[in-house]
Amino acid sequence: EQYLVKNQAEYNDAAKKLVAGDVVTLANGEWQDFEIKISGKGTKAKPIILTSQDPGKVLLTGQSNLRIGGEYILVSGLVFKNGYSPTGEVISFRRSKDDLARNSRVTEVVIDHFSKPDRYDDDYWVAMYGKNNRFDHNHLVGKTNKGVTFAVRLDSKESQENGHRIDHNYFGPRPVLGSNGGETLRIGTSHYSMFNSNTLVENNYFDRCDGEVEIISSKSGNNIYRGNVFDQSRGALVFRHGDGTLVENNVFLGRGKAHTGGIRVINRNQTVRNNYMEGLDGTGFVSALTVMNGVPNSPVNRYVQVDGAVIENNTIIDSKRITLGAGADEERSAAPVNSRLSNNILGGSSEGNLVDIDADISGIKFTNNILVKGKAAQPIAGIKRQAVAMTRGENGLVYPEDPALAKMGASRDLKPVTLDQVGVSWYPKPKNDDPFGGGKTVEVSPGEDSLTEAFVAAKNGDTLSLASGHYIVNRVMALDKAITLQGPAKQTGASIVSISFARPNLFEIKEGGNLKLSNLKIIGDLAPDSVGNSVIRTTSYPIQSNFEIRLEDVTVTNLSVNKSFNVISLGKSSMADRVTIKDSIFDKISGSIIQAAAETEDYGQYNADYVDISDTTFRNIDSAIANIYRGGRDESTFGPHFTMRDSTVENVGKSANNSSGASIVLHGVQYNDITDNRFIDSAPLKIIQTVGTPETKVADNKFENTPAPVVEELNYQGASRVDLSDNIFSNAVSK
Amino acid sequence: EQYLVKNQAEYNDAAKKLVAGDVVTLANGEWQDFEIKISGKGTKAKPIILTSQDPGKVLLTGQSNLRIGGEYILVSGLVFKNGYSPTGEVISFRRSKDDLARNSRVTEVVIDHFSKPDRYDDDYWVAMYGKNNRFDHNHLVGKTNKGVTFAVRLDSKESQENGHRIDHNYFGPRPVLGSNGGETLRIGTSHYSMFNSNTLVENNYFDRCDGEVEIISSKSGNNIYRGNVFDQSRGALVFRHGDGTLVENNVFLGRGKAHTGGIRVINRNQTVRNNYMEGLDGTGFVSALTVMNGVPNSPVNRYVQVDGAVIENNTIIDSKRITLGAGADEERSAAPVNSRLSNNILGGSSEGNLVDIDADISGIKFTNNILVKGKAAQPIAGIKRQAVAMTRGENGLVYPEDPALAKMGASRDLKPVTLDQVGVSWYPKPKNDDPFGGGKTVEVSPGEDSLTEAFVAAKNGDTLSLASGHYIVNRVMALDKAITLQGPAKQTGASIVSISFARPNLFEIKEGGNLKLSNLKIIGDLAPDSVGNSVIRTTSYPIQSNFEIRLEDVTVTNLSVNKSFNVISLGKSSMADRVTIKDSIFDKISGSIIQAAAETEDYGQYNADYVDISDTTFRNIDSAIANIYRGGRDESTFGPHFTMRDSTVENVGKSANNSSGASIVLHGVQYNDITDNRFIDSAPLKIIQTVGTPETKVADNKFENTPAPVVEELNYQGASRVDLSDNIFSNAVSK
Ligand SMILES: [Ca+2]
Ligand SMILES: [Ca+2]
């Protein structure tokens, strides 16, 4: 039977009576708040089909989802956008706990930014249950809330040894989540990791899947990951739990992006062969290749010793690190055994250390590997340093020119899957755009409300070019778009743009907001006498998208009408990808410059991934310049990162209202680089290190009449892991 | 000219050309996002009039406001609702900084819940500038965001000695804000407090104006407050700054409600006469009458010594406290001088202490006062204890029967203004309703999703009556209404309602939500393995309205799938008026029972005003039972309040994940009463006292194998102000 249904009632009528060979077609148009359930007994020859009148023309919006039970069901052509699932799953391969899908397929379906509004309200976009299901040629992009994008569940016998196939999907950009729970694909959980999943993940494209440290978390046995491309994706493919998994023919292209990794080996009888890694910047647990140390007699949720790993014919070039025996410590004391590394081409991105060796590697047999660039931490007989001329082949990958080396590294016939082979042809794949620029430039004249009016009229990407003079702003400028405000480049001292504002905030970042300011002066004199004003703050509504704030050649002064007047306040459930401050001046401020410490519960949720400060002067600041907090004990995130260079800090943090007692507070920040700064008459900077492997350098600074940095370790015990070199301390009374 | 305008364009055309005698009438209907500006030169005889086609039929909604400049402008008949002002004011008596209103009047205008969505985004509903303006017969109800409801501004010479008149207004319920900034009326600021305002506040009705400790903050000189009624309003009329103010003929009716106060005298030459106070529960700074100590040579923002106060012919009966020399400490060492207290009738609500004396009162001359009930802290010659028969007069107030006492206390012809004399007749005044009950009772049967379906269909005030059995809930129940869920009253052990839920939360409190649960068992076994689950949480969107949560005869168990699984989590910018837990059992919980500590910035914003626990058992709780945080250093709030009685606490707070190391954490809580409980094998309870005058009692408890309570004072120095009497400690190993 063919059913063309036009509304939910018609659908429900049809859905009740479906038998093998029936086709239900949803009419083109928007279907709001539609929770689709489909079940029934199709057959291999005559599946039950749910499809769209035209592919891409059926939009599921609002609170919608799809649940599939029964067998031989085929769903295609739907687009989920402008909404989110009211339950824990957008597409579920079960209709209810008792009706799991078998032999069913979802193909050519799009899920686009169909995320719960609250970043920490979790769900799965796809949850696969049952057996022998296929998910192929789908397009999943823009998951901004917590929870694995795609989960294969093994939580009952009916879902184990499942034979699922996940292929030719486009896993589009998943932004940095800023906490645990940002994996793109997970197969199994630690609870069920002793079971085999037998799932095939093939020819998928992972494009900028940056959610957290694991792109793929393989938590079950006997899976195959084959022919996938990982393009500029932060994190790694991790054999977290389960044995006997095969990873072959995959291509990892880091393109030099931070934290791009490759494959991390844990557990027994894993095979890693014929993979190609290039331009990977990751180190430690997200090295191009990581072989971990395990825990003797590991509990199910810890790390099983590597045993019987075969790692052969892989090409790793222009990458930063390979780590062997990673994570070795008192608990993880079981080094790899019965393993083999052979016929690999290994090349660093520099002549420095490529291969880190953190444990006993006598359990790994190295044969016939060549090191084409960089070096190993210790000489390894089976890794030979050799100058090799390499050229890029027609498949875009790099190979040795010498035919004698044809059997080394990845094979010549590796054909990375391309973007047009994955997902659907009728839905665009997102480009990597700078949020700023690309719009019009609008001239604005000084006066009362002139800026506000121009701001409201501006479109995403526009630049407001402010003529010299004074601007008074009587309402908060709410950013749901990327806007640049720029004054005239300072040629002469005369041409100055100054802005006063009469509300508690000058800007409020909302969903879609990005802000760039340059060549401006912002004055707090007209702000109301109220605690907690902030020049820029995030809205108190949830923000799904990460954002950027850039300040260049900006002066901010006289934020002093009441206490705690900040420059930038990042609130709960908001996430700045990057805050950049350069060539700027901050003076007479009763609060902080950057407050990014909204979490109280220590769930490990933070508010700014990168904070970069350079060539800036901070003077007479009551509270800490930056207060960045990342609590919790999980090791799932790369950030926060904090850099401050070539800046001057004078009379900062010394107010009685500054409860931290510090000029900068970095709590749980994973990367700290404070170099070449001058601190004068200021409170000490304070670094509290928690879990993970923070990289911390406080070097080449001058501290004048300023106490030494305070470094605290909450968990780690051992030799200091902070570089405090070449700082100069003096107690001379400054000018 | 008469203009009947139908849209904003027509209005703007008309507004350009207004001259004396013109009338602009807004057509009936909804005017969305309308920022009205009106100015021009009316005359006394021929004002410029802006009005509604029919009073109450013109609704200003969305982002709307009204700005009035010029002179002799009359505005009437408008209703602001379903929105908020995009600027810092809803009604402003200035069109711009240079165009202040003079001789203008706003009458019969309604502002109803026209509050900014974010509780801490501040504004004024009415800001009066200029001179000789009148605001009368208006209706202002339901301001939920920060900022004075009505502010008279003296910030330029043109607004001082202003002769404004504020009369016959209905100041309806203003809920507890939970931070500073909840005043209903403020005249002046400390900056301009040396100037006279000459403002008359007459015959207004303050109905449940509970925002914070000041109902009226008089911060300028020479004002008159006359004939106003304060009905069940928490807080006091405070002569905060400025001299020569007269307060007469006002009626304060506490009706026994907590924190209802009267008049607080500070500064010079204040007159308090012929006022009537009855049933006031306030003490300390919000006593029925408070005379403060001052600071010698006080800075403008501190407390000027009371000098020349005349306090006569007031009746204070059935009230808890009169405080003389209030606030005396090292700083506030200047006792009242040249003052007089005469012909007052003073009566306590009990035979205990009515008159507290905290400083030298030799500067107050007491003559001819009678004390009809209660006593004074020390004998005062001019206050004579006397049994006086009192009866209620026709005006509703109580007077001595004895004609010889006719000149004592408030005069017989005092006529309190009534509700129908204030505001407008055509808009209803809110009643004081319990959020629960009043709706239908709906029977619900056990099963999967049956509860969710009934819940979605339920209306505000409905009760869902659950039949015995097990309920599985697959989606979060979002409360934008008051709902009661009740199981069968426990007659037999057999009839039990149990609920499991598959999402991180069972309930989410949204705007308008209130929740009452009774006779239920809630089990966390199906919740996802994710950090930070909570049975009840507040939405991550701002919530304007305060809410209540009541648990009676509820069992909650097995919240243990991951760490930090709470029962109740109150998020940022949310405010529970009351959380009540009685006759309940909590067992095997990895988080807290009540988490109300969302603030990180110490702005003094808290999340629960009253938490009341009684007859409840807490067992095997990893984190603190309650974590309640009120930071900041202002003394503007009465809460939070915490009471726990007759409860049992066993094996609580001892998990390594419990960073507080406590079984209960009360930080900055203003009222702590922990009495008659039994603590067994638990972490200590922890009380951190900040500013204000917290009342703290931890008495008559048994502590078995549990450390003594930890009490910390952050600011206060002096003898302990915590009652720790009659606790019993034992280290016997319990069963
Ligand atoms: Ca993870
Ligand atoms: Ca106040």
Side-chain angles (χ1 to χ4, degrees):
Chain A
E1 193 97 37
Q2 299 270 343
Y3 303 93
L4 174 63
V5 298
K6 298 205 167 58
N7 55 51
Q8 295 192 31
E10 287 182 18
Y11 174 82
N12 292 335
D13 281 350
K16 272 177 216 152
K17 46 196 175 190
L18 294 175
V19 296
D22 284 355
V23 178
V24 187
T25 302
L26 301 183
N28 288 349
E30 182 175 341
W31 295 68
Q32 206 184 340
D33 299 336
F34 186 16
E35 298 193 48
I36 309 174
K37 291 186 189 184
I38 188 165
S39 189
K41 280 190 183 298
T43 64
K44 185 161 188 178
K46 293 181 165 187
I48 294 170
I49 296 177
L50 169 63
T51 189
S52 59
Q53 192 172 3
D54 292 303
K57 296 289 166 63
V58 170
L59 306 182
L60 283 308
T61 64
Q63 305 220 355
S64 298
N65 59 22
L66 167 64
R67 275 169 279 194
I68 305 167
E71 51 189 328
Y72 293 106
I73 309 272
L74 169 63
V75 177
S76 71
L78 311 179
V79 176
F80 289 87
K81 64 185 291 190
N82 300 331
Y84 56 93
S85 171
T87 62
E89 296 158 349
V90 179
I91 297 179
S92 181
F93 280 81
R94 71 179 183 192
R95 194 183 53 93
S96 69
K97 288 194 174 42
D98 306 322
D99 184 11
L100 312 187
R102 279 163 297 131
N103 296 301
S104 290
R105 179 178 175 200
V106 171
T107 186
E108 299 214 11
V109 165
V110 172
I111 307 181
D112 183 6
H113 285 85
F114 207 67
S115 297
K116 291 198 160 58
D118 179 354
R119 169 180 297 265
Y120 298 113
D121 197 357
D122 65 359
D123 65 2
Y124 304 133
W125 272 10
V126 183
M128 219 175 214
Y129 301 85
K131 289 204 170 151
N132 299 315
N133 296 310
R134 184 176 178 200
F135 187 83
D136 67 286
H137 293 88
N138 299 290
H139 174 118
L140 276 63
V141 66
K143 189 170 201 286
T144 53
N145 65 317
K146 193 178 155 197
V148 177
T149 308
F150 191 118
V152 176
R153 307 297 309 275
L154 306 184
D155 57 357
S156 70
K157 195 163 171 40
E158 292 69 29
S159 294
Q160 294 156 9
E161 304 195 353
N162 51 56
H164 297 323
R165 193 170 153 203
I166 301 163
D167 64 287
H168 294 90
N169 297 292
Y170 176 66
F171 291 99
R174 172 151 198 188
V176 174
L177 177 62
S179 87
N180 191 12
E183 303 88 347
T184 294
L185 173 61
R186 193 187 71 207
I187 301 184
T189 58
S190 57
H191 272 70
Y192 300 99
S193 57
M194 66 292 290
F195 299 106
N196 284 333
S197 188
N198 302 357
T199 299
L200 173 64
V201 178
E202 191 173 38
N203 294 331
N204 299 284
Y205 203 103
F206 294 86
D207 183 13
R208 291 164 276 163
C209 293
D210 293 340
E212 58 137 277
V213 296
E214 296 178 290
I215 306 167
I216 297 180
S217 187
S218 191
K219 292 186 163 179
S220 50
N222 215 32
N223 296 308
I224 298 174
Y225 301 90
R226 180 191 289 149
N228 302 288
V229 172
F230 298 83
D231 193 350
Q232 298 172 78
S233 291
R234 279 172 42 151
L237 193 178
V238 183
F239 297 7
R240 189 65 190 81
H241 300 299
D243 304 327
T245 281
L246 169 64
V247 176
E248 64 176 357
N249 305 353
N250 299 285
V251 173
F252 296 80
L253 303 171
R255 306 186 199 271
K257 177 168 150 178
H259 306 305
T260 46
I263 296 165
R264 175 147 59 110
V265 179
I266 313 164
N267 305 289
R268 290 171 287 241
N269 302 322
Q270 314 287 27
T271 303
V272 177
R273 70 180 176 216
N274 204 44
N275 298 288
Y276 179 92
M277 288 89 158
E278 183 180 351
L280 301 180
D281 177 75
T283 60
F285 282 17
V286 292
S287 300
L289 172 68
T290 307
V291 180
M292 281 195 72
N293 254 32
V295 176
N297 301 310
S298 176
V300 72
N301 64 343
R302 295 298 295 157
Y303 293 86
V304 172
Q305 182 180 29
V306 172
D307 186 347
V310 175
I311 301 168
E312 60 186 9
N313 281 102
N314 302 287
T315 297
I316 298 177
I317 58 161
D318 194 25
S319 293
K320 202 178 222 165
R321 194 64 35 85
I322 291 166
T323 304
L324 305 177
D329 59 16
E330 274 186 27
E331 183 206 18
R332 287 183 293 226
S333 60
V337 292
N338 306 319
S339 295
R340 179 154 67 79
L341 213 131
S342 47
N343 300 331
N344 298 290
I345 295 175
L346 311 176
S349 52
S350 75
E351 289 298 347
N353 216 27
L354 170 64
V355 184
D356 260 2
I357 300 168
D358 294 348
D360 172 22
I361 52 167
S362 62
I364 306 177
K365 188 170 174 197
F366 296 87
T367 53
N368 195 31
N369 300 287
I370 53 177
L371 184 59
V372 299
K373 189 173 180 186
K375 53 183 198 250
Q378 63 190 64
I380 298 172
I383 300 184
K384 196 172 72 175
R385 175 66 202 243
Q386 188 175 338
V388 177
M390 312 269 290
T391 50
R392 202 169 289 278
E394 276 183 19
N395 61 359
L397 312 182
V398 166
Y399 293 90
E401 291 174 3
D402 184 351
L405 297 175
K407 293 264 168 75
M408 294 293 297
S411 76
R412 293 225 161 225
D413 55 8
L414 189 52
K415 278 226 166 59
V417 68
T418 59
L419 280 172
D420 58 1
Q421 291 170 336
V422 297
V424 297
S425 56
W426 41 263
Y427 204 88
K429 298 183 172 76
K431 298 216 175 65
N432 197 3
D433 283 322
D434 185 321
F436 301 108
K440 298 192 312 294
T441 295
V442 181
E443 307 291 332
V444 186
S445 302
E448 194 163 344
D449 296 330
S450 59
L451 175 55
T452 333
E453 281 158 27
F455 178 87
V456 168
K459 298 269 184 298
N460 186 43
D462 282 358
T463 296
L464 302 181
S465 176
L466 278 61
S468 298
H470 189 58
Y471 294 76
I472 294 181
V473 173
N474 285 315
R475 62 192 67 198
V476 179
M477 290 188 274
L479 286 148
D480 54 2
K481 50 200 173 191
I483 295 290
T484 301
L485 264 71
Q486 65 183 32
K490 16 170 216 240
Q491 307 273 2
T492 70
S495 60
I496 280 182
V497 166
S498 63
I499 303 174
S500 292
F501 55 105
R503 296 285 300 140
N505 315 102
L506 177 58
F507 295 103
E508 181 175 284
I509 307 266
K510 298 172 70 171
E511 178 62 31
N514 287 279
L515 180 63
K516 181 174 169 184
L517 303 176
S518 64
N519 292 296
L520 304 172
K521 182 174 186 175
I522 295 171
I523 311 170
D525 55 345
L526 293 186
D529 177 6
S530 179
V531 68
N533 292 342
S534 191
V535 177
I536 303 168
R537 74 156 194 172
T538 51
T539 170
S540 43
Y541 289 74
I543 304 180
Q544 296 180 286
S545 303
N546 297 356
F547 53 87
E548 279 197 47
I549 298 172
R550 295 188 202 163
L551 274 57
E552 297 181 15
D553 282 302
V554 169
T555 297
V556 182
T557 185
N558 285 326
L559 310 187
S560 52
V561 62
N562 200 314
K563 65 178 176 164
S564 306
F565 198 155
N566 295 334
V567 178
I568 300 173
S569 302
L570 305 181
K572 200 153 172 77
S573 292
S574 76
M575 178 67 172
D577 267 335
R578 196 175 287 269
V579 175
T580 308
I581 297 175
K582 56 188 287 195
D583 299 316
S584 292
I585 298 171
F586 299 88
D587 192 11
K588 297 196 197 73
I589 292 175
S590 69
S592 290
I593 309 308
I594 305 168
Q595 186 74 22
E599 190 193 51
T600 54
E601 302 92 342
D602 276 349
Y603 298 161
Q605 302 165 350
Y606 62 96
N607 305 114
D609 200 35
Y610 285 88
V611 173
D612 296 332
I613 297 172
S614 59
D615 298 295
T616 289
T617 298
F618 303 92
R619 200 178 283 137
N620 308 314
I621 315 291
D622 285 356
S623 197
I625 290 171
N627 184 7
I628 302 178
Y629 189 91
R630 199 287 192 199
R633 286 164 180 241
D634 66 278
E635 305 181 11
S636 309
T637 68
F638 294 112
H641 309 73
F642 179 83
T643 304
M644 184 164 94
R645 291 174 164 271
D646 301 309
S647 294
T648 300
V649 174
E650 184 172 359
N651 188 27
V652 170
K654 292 169 78 179
S655 157
N657 284 328
N658 180 16
S659 57
S660 73
S663 56
I664 299 174
V665 187
L666 305 172
H667 182 116
V669 173
Q670 292 298 303
Y671 180 91
N672 306 275
D673 178 0
I674 298 173
T675 311
D676 289 320
N677 304 288
R678 187 174 171 209
F679 292 80
I680 307 161
D681 295 330
S682 291
L685 63 91
K686 200 167 184 172
I687 297 176
I688 298 116
Q689 308 214 111
T690 58
V691 293
T693 50
E695 280 182 62
T696 301
K697 180 175 166 189
V698 181
D700 294 303
N701 302 288
K702 288 185 191 153
F703 294 93
E704 300 169 29
N705 200 20
T706 297
V710 176
V711 179
E712 223 176 290
E713 287 279 0
L714 296 189
N715 303 94
Y716 172 82
Q717 292 172 334
S720 167
R721 47 182 184 169
V722 176
D723 175 0
L724 284 167
S725 59
D726 297 319
N727 295 301
I728 298 171
F729 297 90
S730 65
N731 279 325
V733 177
S734 57
K735 31 129 211 170
Chain B
E1 194 95 43
Q2 299 270 345
Y3 303 94
L4 174 62
V5 298
K6 299 206 167 57
N7 55 50
Q8 295 192 32
E10 287 181 19
Y11 174 81
N12 291 334
D13 281 350
K16 272 178 213 147
K17 45 198 175 188
L18 295 174
V19 297
D22 285 356
V23 178
V24 186
T25 302
L26 301 184
N28 288 347
E30 181 175 344
W31 295 68
Q32 204 184 344
D33 299 336
F34 186 14
E35 298 194 49
I36 310 174
K37 292 186 189 187
I38 187 164
S39 190
K41 279 188 186 295
T43 64
K44 186 163 189 173
K46 294 182 163 182
I48 294 170
I49 295 177
L50 169 64
T51 190
S52 59
Q53 192 172 2
D54 292 302
K57 296 290 167 64
V58 170
L59 305 183
L60 283 308
T61 64
Q63 305 221 355
S64 297
N65 59 22
L66 166 64
R67 275 170 279 194
I68 306 167
E71 51 190 329
Y72 293 106
I73 309 272
L74 170 63
V75 178
S76 71
L78 311 179
V79 176
F80 290 87
K81 65 184 293 189
N82 299 333
Y84 57 92
S85 172
T87 62
E89 297 158 347
V90 179
I91 298 179
S92 181
F93 281 81
R94 71 178 185 194
R95 193 183 53 94
S96 68
K97 288 193 173 46
D98 306 321
D99 183 12
L100 311 187
R102 278 162 297 130
N103 297 300
S104 291
R105 180 179 175 199
V106 171
T107 187
E108 298 215 9
V109 165
V110 172
I111 307 181
D112 182 7
H113 285 87
F114 207 68
S115 298
K116 291 199 159 58
D118 179 355
R119 169 179 297 265
Y120 298 113
D121 196 358
D122 65 358
D123 65 3
Y124 303 134
W125 272 10
V126 184
M128 220 174 212
Y129 302 85
K131 290 205 169 149
N132 300 313
N133 296 311
R134 185 176 177 200
F135 187 84
D136 66 286
H137 294 89
N138 299 292
H139 175 117
L140 278 64
V141 65
K143 189 170 201 284
T144 52
N145 65 319
K146 194 178 157 200
V148 177
T149 308
F150 191 117
V152 177
R153 307 294 311 272
L154 306 183
D155 57 356
S156 71
K157 196 164 170 41
E158 292 69 29
S159 294
Q160 293 156 12
E161 304 195 353
N162 51 54
H164 296 321
R165 195 171 152 202
I166 301 163
D167 64 286
H168 294 91
N169 298 293
Y170 175 65
F171 290 99
R174 172 153 198 188
V176 173
L177 177 62
S179 87
N180 192 12
E183 303 88 348
T184 294
L185 173 61
R186 193 187 70 206
I187 302 184
T189 58
S190 57
H191 273 71
Y192 300 98
S193 58
M194 67 293 288
F195 299 106
N196 284 332
S197 187
N198 303 356
T199 299
L200 174 63
V201 178
E202 191 173 39
N203 295 332
N204 300 286
Y205 203 103
F206 294 86
D207 183 13
R208 291 163 276 165
C209 293
D210 294 341
E212 59 138 275
V213 298
E214 295 178 291
I215 306 167
I216 296 181
S217 188
S218 191
K219 292 187 162 178
S220 51
N222 217 32
N223 296 309
I224 299 175
Y225 301 89
R226 179 191 287 150
N228 303 289
V229 172
F230 298 83
D231 193 350
Q232 298 171 78
S233 291
R234 279 173 40 153
L237 192 176
V238 183
F239 298 7
R240 190 64 190 85
H241 301 298
D243 304 327
T245 281
L246 170 63
V247 176
E248 63 176 359
N249 306 352
N250 300 286
V251 173
F252 296 79
L253 303 171
R255 307 187 198 269
K257 177 168 150 178
H259 307 304
T260 47
I263 296 165
R264 175 147 59 109
V265 180
I266 313 162
N267 305 289
R268 290 170 287 241
N269 303 319
Q270 314 287 29
T271 303
V272 177
R273 69 181 178 216
N274 203 46
N275 299 289
Y276 179 92
M277 288 88 160
E278 183 180 350
L280 301 180
D281 177 76
T283 60
F285 283 17
V286 292
S287 300
L289 173 67
T290 307
V291 181
M292 279 196 74
N293 254 32
V295 175
N297 302 309
S298 175
V300 72
N301 65 342
R302 295 298 295 156
Y303 293 86
V304 172
Q305 181 179 31
V306 172
D307 186 345
V310 174
I311 300 169
E312 59 186 11
N313 282 101
N314 301 290
T315 296
I316 298 177
I317 58 161
D318 193 24
S319 292
K320 201 176 222 167
R321 194 63 39 82
I322 291 166
T323 305
L324 304 176
D329 59 16
E330 274 187 26
E331 183 207 17
R332 288 182 292 228
S333 60
V337 293
N338 306 317
S339 295
R340 178 155 67 80
L341 213 133
S342 46
N343 300 331
N344 298 291
I345 295 175
L346 310 177
S349 51
S350 75
E351 289 298 348
N353 218 28
L354 171 63
V355 185
D356 259 2
I357 300 168
D358 295 346
D360 173 21
I361 53 167
S362 63
I364 306 177
K365 189 172 173 195
F366 296 86
T367 55
N368 196 32
N369 302 287
I370 53 177
L371 184 59
V372 300
K373 188 172 180 185
K375 52 183 200 251
Q378 63 190 64
I380 299 172
I383 300 184
K384 197 171 72 176
R385 175 65 202 242
Q386 188 175 336
V388 177
M390 313 268 291
T391 50
R392 204 169 287 278
E394 277 183 18
N395 62 359
L397 311 182
V398 166
Y399 293 92
E401 291 174 5
D402 184 353
L405 296 175
K407 292 267 168 73
M408 294 294 296
S411 76
R412 293 224 164 232
D413 56 8
L414 188 52
K415 278 226 164 61
V417 69
T418 59
L419 280 172
D420 59 1
Q421 292 169 335
V422 297
V424 297
S425 58
W426 42 263
Y427 204 89
K429 297 183 173 75
K431 298 216 176 65
N432 196 1
D433 283 323
D434 185 321
F436 301 107
K440 300 191 309 295
T441 294
V442 181
E443 307 292 333
V444 186
S445 302
E448 195 164 342
D449 296 330
S450 59
L451 175 55
T452 333
E453 281 159 25
F455 178 87
V456 168
K459 298 268 183 299
N460 187 45
D462 282 358
T463 295
L464 302 181
S465 177
L466 279 60
S468 298
H470 188 58
Y471 295 75
I472 294 182
V473 174
N474 284 314
R475 62 193 67 198
V476 179
M477 291 188 274
L479 286 148
D480 54 3
K481 50 199 174 190
I483 296 291
T484 300
L485 263 71
Q486 65 184 31
K490 14 170 217 235
Q491 306 273 3
T492 70
S495 61
I496 279 180
V497 166
S498 62
I499 303 174
S500 292
F501 56 105
R503 295 287 300 139
N505 315 104
L506 177 58
F507 296 103
E508 181 176 281
I509 307 267
K510 299 172 69 171
E511 177 64 31
N514 288 278
L515 179 65
K516 181 174 169 184
L517 304 177
S518 65
N519 292 297
L520 304 172
K521 181 172 186 178
I522 295 171
I523 310 170
D525 55 346
L526 293 187
D529 176 7
S530 178
V531 68
N533 292 341
S534 191
V535 177
I536 303 168
R537 73 156 196 173
T538 52
T539 168
S540 42
Y541 290 74
I543 304 179
Q544 297 179 288
S545 303
N546 298 356
F547 53 88
E548 279 197 46
I549 298 172
R550 294 188 202 161
L551 274 55
E552 298 180 16
D553 282 303
V554 169
T555 296
V556 182
T557 185
N558 285 327
L559 310 187
S560 52
V561 61
N562 200 314
K563 65 177 177 165
S564 305
F565 197 155
N566 296 333
V567 178
I568 300 173
S569 302
L570 305 180
K572 200 153 173 79
S573 292
S574 76
M575 178 66 170
D577 268 336
R578 198 175 287 270
V579 175
T580 308
I581 296 174
K582 57 188 288 196
D583 299 317
S584 293
I585 298 171
F586 299 88
D587 192 11
K588 297 196 197 74
I589 292 175
S590 69
S592 290
I593 311 307
I594 305 169
Q595 186 73 22
E599 190 192 52
T600 52
E601 303 91 344
D602 276 350
Y603 298 161
Q605 302 164 350
Y606 62 97
N607 305 113
D609 201 34
Y610 285 87
V611 173
D612 296 333
I613 297 172
S614 59
D615 298 295
T616 290
T617 298
F618 302 92
R619 199 177 284 136
N620 308 314
I621 317 290
D622 286 355
S623 197
I625 290 171
N627 183 7
I628 303 178
Y629 189 92
R630 198 288 192 200
R633 285 163 181 243
D634 66 279
E635 305 182 11
S636 309
T637 68
F638 295 111
H641 309 74
F642 180 83
T643 304
M644 184 163 95
R645 291 173 165 272
D646 301 310
S647 295
T648 300
V649 174
E650 183 173 357
N651 186 28
V652 170
K654 293 168 78 179
S655 157
N657 284 329
N658 180 16
S659 56
S660 73
S663 57
I664 299 175
V665 187
L666 305 172
H667 181 116
V669 173
Q670 293 298 300
Y671 180 90
N672 306 277
D673 178 359
I674 298 172
T675 311
D676 290 320
N677 304 290
R678 185 172 172 212
F679 291 80
I680 307 160
D681 294 330
S682 291
L685 63 91
K686 200 167 185 174
I687 298 177
I688 298 114
Q689 308 215 109
T690 58
V691 293
T693 51
E695 281 183 61
T696 301
K697 181 176 165 189
V698 181
D700 295 302
N701 302 289
K702 288 185 191 150
F703 293 94
E704 299 167 30
N705 200 21
T706 297
V710 176
V711 179
E712 224 177 290
E713 286 279 2
L714 296 188
N715 303 95
Y716 171 83
Q717 293 172 332
S720 167
R721 48 180 182 168
V722 175
D723 175 359
L724 284 167
S725 58
D726 298 319
N727 294 302
I728 297 172
F729 296 89
S730 65
N731 281 325
V733 176
S734 56
K735 27 128 210 175

